[in-house]
Amino acid sequence: MTEARGRGHVERTKGGFITMPFIFSNEACEKLAVVGFGTNMISYLTRELHMPITKAANTLTNFGGTASLTPLLGAFVADAYAGRFWTITVASVIYQIGMTCLTISAVLPQLRPPPCYPNQACQQANTGQLAILYFSLLLTALGAGGIRPCVVAFGADQFDETDPKQKTKTWKFFNWYYFCMGASILVAVTVVVYIQDNIGWGWGLGIPTMAMFLSIIAFIIGYPMYRNLDPAGSPFTRLVQVCVAAFRKRDLHMISDPKLLYENEELDASISVAGKLLHTQHMKFLDKAAIVTQEDNIKSPNPWRLNTVHRVEELKSVIRMGPIWAAGIILITAYAQQNTFSLQQAQTMDRHLTGSFQIPAGSMTVFTMTSMLTTIAFYDRIFIPVIRRFTGLDRGISFLHRMGIGFVISILATLVAGFIEVKRKNVALANGLINNSKSTIPISVFWLVPQYALHGIAEAFMSIGHLEFFYDQAPESMKSTAMALFWTAISLGNYASTILVSLVHKFSAGAMGSNWLPDDNLNKGKLEYFYWLITLMQIMNLFYYVVCAKFYTFKPIEMQRKEDSESAGNEVELAGRNEVELVGRV
C-alpha cells in the first residue's frame, strides 16, 4: 500500500532498516553483473573479439559513459510519473534481458570470431557479432539508468527526514549503501573474474545473470514494507517554467522586499513536505518569476507566468550545485584508467601467488575495493566519532570537506601510477623484453597495489561525499534526479577519458610508429606521461573545486519537525544545514 497522495502521512510500520536487505540486494546484483563484466571487459574485447587495445579501451569507457548517462532518463520517469519502486522494477527486468543476451553471445561460438592460433593473424569480430554485443550492452545501460538513480533515493526515502530520530540514519545509510555496493564489487572482481578467466565466459556471465533474477524477486517481495512516495510531477517542467516566467517578466523592476514575492503553500504542498525553501539573495533575475502583476491570477496561477518562491529556489539550488558537480568529472577520468591501462599493465607482470595460481589481471581492483571498504568502516566507526568532538557536526566533517580530501588522494594515485610504470618498463628493458608484448616481465604485479589502493581511498571520500551533497542539497522533489546527476558526472568522466585517450593517441604519434599509448605493445609507450598528464589536470581541478566550495551557498530550508508539530503546534525552525559555518572556512 502506497502513501496518501500528499505524501504527508506515513504508516510508522513502513520503511526503516528492515527494508535495506531487499533494496541492497537489487543494487548489489546490478553491481555484481556490471562490474563482473566491466572489470574484465577489456580482456573479453581483446582476447575473445580481438579488438585493438585503444578501440577496446574506448568501447569500455563509452559503455561506462552511456550506462552513467541513462540515469537522467530513469530519474525523470521516477520523479515525474512512475515513482521509484516501479522504475526500479521495470529497469531491472530490462537489465535482466540485456545480461541474458550477453551470456548467450558468450556461450554460442558463432557469435564470436574463431580463436587465435600462434603465428596466425587474429580475425576480428564481424558486424553482426559486434551488433549483438552492442545491443546487449545498450539494454544493460538502459536498465542501469532506472536502477542507479532510484535505488539510492528509494533507500533514503525509507527514513523520514522530518523525524529527528531518523534523520541521522539517512547519512549512515549512504555509508552502508556504498559499503554494500563495494562488497558486491569485491566479489565481482575476485570470484566472477576468476571464473571468467579459468572456467569460461558462459559461467562468468551466467552467474551474475542468475543473481540479478533472484534480486528482482527479492526486491518485489519487500514491497509491502516499503515507504513509497508518490511522484510529484516533472521537476524539469517546473524548472523550465521558472525560466520562461522570469524571461517574460525580464523588464520588470525588482521589488525591494522579498516578502512581497509570490507564496502559495497549497500549490507547493506535494513538493515541500519536508520543508519550504526560503528566499536567497543570489540570482535575483530569477526572482522576477515570483513577482505578482495585474495579469496574474494568484488563486490559480499560470506557472508559465508566475511561480512561487519555493519553485524559484528549486532552480537556484540546481544551478548552485552545478560547479561542485562538474568538479567530480576529472576524478572519474582518472579512476577509469584502472579498468583499461592499469589492467593492461597487470597483464604484462608476474601475477603468481604460488607456482600454480596467479591472480587474474581483472581482479587487481580487489585492492581498490578492499581499501575503499576499509576506509568506509574506519570513517564511520572511528573517524566520525573522533572528529565530531572538534567540529560539532553529526557527520564529523561536511561533505564538501570529505570530497576535497578525496581529490587530494586521487592526485597522489595517478602521480604514483606514473612512477610505477617507469619501474615496470625499466625491468622490461633490463630483461630484453621491450619488444616482446606477449612475455611476462619479471616484476611482481603487487607493485601496482599502491595506485589501486589510493584510488579506493579516494573513492571512499569523494564518491560518498558527492552522494551526500546531491541528496542533501537537491530540492525535495528531485532526489532521483539528484542521484542521476551523480551518475552523469561518472558518465562525462568516462567520455572525457575516451576523448583524452583518443587525443593523446593521435597527437603523441611519432616516427617509426612511436606513441604514448601504442595499440599493440605497452612496453614501447609512454604511459607514465599519460598518468602525469591526468595528475596535472587533477591539480588544476582541485584549485577549481576549492574556489567553488568556498563560495558555495547551502540551501536555506524551513523545516517542520515531527516532534515540534506534536508538542508545540506548528513551530518551524530554519535549517541552513548545520555545516554552513564550517564550509565557509574551506
Side-chain angles (χ1 to χ4, degrees):
M1 185 176 71
T2 59
E3 294 182 17
R5 186 66 185 171
R7 303 195 300 169
H9 303 286
V10 182
E11 294 182 15
R12 292 183 181 276
T13 55
K14 289 183 179 290
F17 275 111
I18 193 173
T19 62
M20 292 302 106
F22 302 98
I23 297 172
F24 283 164
S25 66
N26 184 271
E27 174 71 4
C29 288
E30 188 264 343
K31 282 292 171 284
L32 186 70
V34 74
V35 176
F37 180 60
T39 300
N40 216 19
M41 182 178 176
I42 198 164
S43 296
Y44 182 77
L45 297 178
T46 55
R47 295 179 178 179
E48 301 293 326
L49 300 184
H50 311 148
M51 280 188 185
I53 293 177
T54 52
K55 182 179 179 181
N58 286 343
T59 299
L60 176 58
T61 50
N62 284 337
F63 165 66
T66 303
S68 298
L69 191 61
T70 53
L72 280 175
L73 176 62
F76 172 76
V77 172
D79 282 341
Y81 302 108
R84 292 178 188 123
F85 172 81
W86 290 112
T87 302
I88 294 171
T89 302
V90 173
S92 298
V93 173
I94 295 174
Y95 196 98
Q96 177 71 39
I97 296 172
M99 283 300 300
T100 301
C101 293
L102 203 56
T103 303
I104 293 173
S105 71
V107 171
L108 298 180
Q110 56 267 38
L111 299 181
R112 304 189 311 277
C116 285
Y117 296 100
N119 302 320
Q120 188 177 21
C122 295
Q123 179 183 329
Q124 294 188 25
N126 59 39
T127 304
Q129 292 165 341
L130 289 176
I132 293 173
L133 171 71
Y134 294 146
F135 176 72
S136 302
L137 294 178
L138 177 62
L139 287 179
T140 59
L142 289 173
I147 296 172
R148 291 178 175 179
C150 297
V151 166
V152 184
F154 188 66
D157 285 345
Q158 306 310 307
F159 307 99
D160 187 355
E161 280 199 306
T162 64
D163 185 350
K165 296 178 182 178
Q166 293 192 40
K167 181 171 176 59
T168 56
K169 294 180 180 179
T170 303
W171 307 114
K172 286 184 174 292
F173 160 78
F174 285 112
N175 281 329
W176 289 109
Y177 161 79
Y178 228 87
F179 187 90
C180 176
M181 189 171 70
S184 175
I185 294 174
L186 189 61
V187 174
V189 299
T190 52
V191 178
V192 175
V193 170
Y194 180 83
I195 292 172
Q196 291 167 352
D197 282 354
N198 296 278
I199 298 178
W201 282 92
W203 281 106
L205 293 174
I207 290 175
T209 301
M210 290 184 284
M212 189 69 200
F213 176 74
L214 295 176
S215 77
I216 296 173
I217 296 175
F219 181 72
I220 294 174
I221 289 175
Y223 178 73
M225 291 180 283
Y226 297 143
R227 181 174 179 261
N228 288 299
L229 306 182
D230 291 331
S234 171
F236 296 109
T237 300
R238 290 198 304 275
L239 298 182
V240 173
Q241 286 172 338
V242 173
C243 293
V244 171
F247 179 78
R248 295 176 72 173
K249 296 182 177 180
R250 62 190 182 279
D251 295 328
L252 295 179
H253 293 290
M254 193 59 214
I255 59 178
S256 58
D257 187 359
K259 294 181 180 179
L260 298 177
L261 296 174
Y262 183 58
E263 302 268 11
N264 189 325
E265 293 185 3
E266 182 179 352
L267 184 64
D268 293 335
S270 63
I271 59 174
S272 60
V273 175
K276 181 179 68 174
L277 293 176
L278 300 177
H279 178 263
T280 59
Q281 297 297 322
H282 304 91
M283 294 174 275
K284 290 186 177 182
F285 59 92
L286 293 175
D287 290 342
K288 292 184 178 182
I291 296 178
V292 181
T293 65
Q294 292 181 345
E295 300 176 17
D296 294 318
N297 182 350
I298 61 174
K299 293 184 178 180
S300 181
N302 174 6
W304 298 98
R305 281 196 54 85
L306 180 64
N307 284 271
T308 62
V309 170
H310 179 86
R311 296 177 184 228
V312 172
E313 291 300 324
E314 280 188 328
L315 178 57
K316 289 184 182 180
S317 295
V318 173
I319 294 174
R320 283 195 297 263
M321 290 165 60
I324 300 293
W325 163 81
I329 295 173
I330 295 299
L331 182 135
I332 300 302
T333 300
Y335 189 86
Q337 308 316 313
Q338 292 182 96
N339 292 332
T340 54
F341 294 109
S342 294
L343 189 144
Q344 290 294 314
Q345 287 176 286
Q347 287 181 342
T348 68
M349 302 169 78
D350 181 9
R351 293 177 277 117
H352 283 89
L353 284 179
T354 64
S356 59
F357 177 78
Q358 65 175 359
I359 304 172
S363 291
M364 285 302 294
T365 50
V366 68
F367 298 106
T368 302
M369 294 301 107
T370 302
S371 63
M372 184 188 76
L373 295 176
T374 303
T375 303
I376 291 173
F378 168 80
Y379 186 90
D380 190 70
R381 296 299 179 182
I382 300 176
F383 182 80
I384 290 179
V386 172
I387 204 70
R388 183 186 293 147
R389 299 176 183 177
F390 300 96
T391 64
L393 297 178
D394 290 337
R395 292 196 293 269
I397 58 176
S398 74
F399 36 70
L400 292 182
H401 281 97
R402 184 171 186 169
M403 290 164 62
I405 293 172
F407 283 127
V408 172
I409 297 174
S410 182
I411 291 172
L412 294 177
T414 49
L415 180 65
V416 167
F419 287 109
I420 293 174
E421 171 62 6
V422 172
K423 172 69 176 179
R424 187 192 69 85
K425 289 200 301 180
N426 285 340
V427 174
L429 181 63
N431 289 271
L433 298 175
I434 284 291
N435 296 316
N436 193 337
S437 62
K438 302 296 182 182
S439 297
T440 299
I441 300 172
I443 178 175
S444 174
V445 75
F446 290 107
W447 276 91
L448 298 178
V449 170
Q451 68 194 62
Y452 277 101
L454 286 170
H455 276 300
I457 297 171
E459 185 174 10
F461 280 93
M462 167 58 196
S463 295
I464 299 179
H466 224 186
L467 273 177
E468 291 181 357
F469 169 75
F470 286 128
Y471 191 85
D472 184 86
Q473 293 299 294
E476 176 189 333
S477 60
M478 299 179 65
K479 298 299 186 184
S480 296
T481 304
M483 296 301 102
L485 289 175
F486 171 79
W487 288 105
T488 303
I490 295 177
S491 170
L492 294 180
N494 279 286
Y495 284 136
S497 175
T498 298
I499 294 171
L500 187 62
V501 168
S502 298
L503 291 176
V504 169
H505 181 71
K506 177 180 179 180
F507 291 106
S508 66
M512 305 297 292
S514 64
N515 200 297
W516 283 15
L517 305 174
D519 280 327
D520 53 358
N521 188 352
L522 203 61
N523 299 335
K524 290 184 176 180
K526 294 289 184 181
L527 182 59
E528 66 273 19
Y529 292 173
F530 180 68
Y531 282 140
W532 290 335
L533 174 63
I534 296 177
T535 301
L536 179 61
M537 293 170 64
Q538 288 195 95
I539 292 173
M540 296 169 62
N541 185 63
L542 177 62
F543 283 109
Y544 161 79
Y545 172 76
V546 170
V547 173
C548 293
K550 182 175 180 61
F551 291 100
Y552 182 76
T553 301
F554 284 77
K555 67 174 186 183
I557 182 170
E558 192 176 54
M559 301 183 68
Q560 174 67 53
R561 297 290 192 184
K562 275 193 170 182
E563 62 181 11
D564 293 335
S565 60
E566 292 172 359
S567 61
N570 288 322
E571 288 185 19
V572 292
E573 64 179 40
L574 177 64
R577 305 297 180 190
N578 59 358
E579 302 156 349
V580 177
E581 292 184 4
L582 180 64
V583 175
R585 298 193 296 270
V586 170

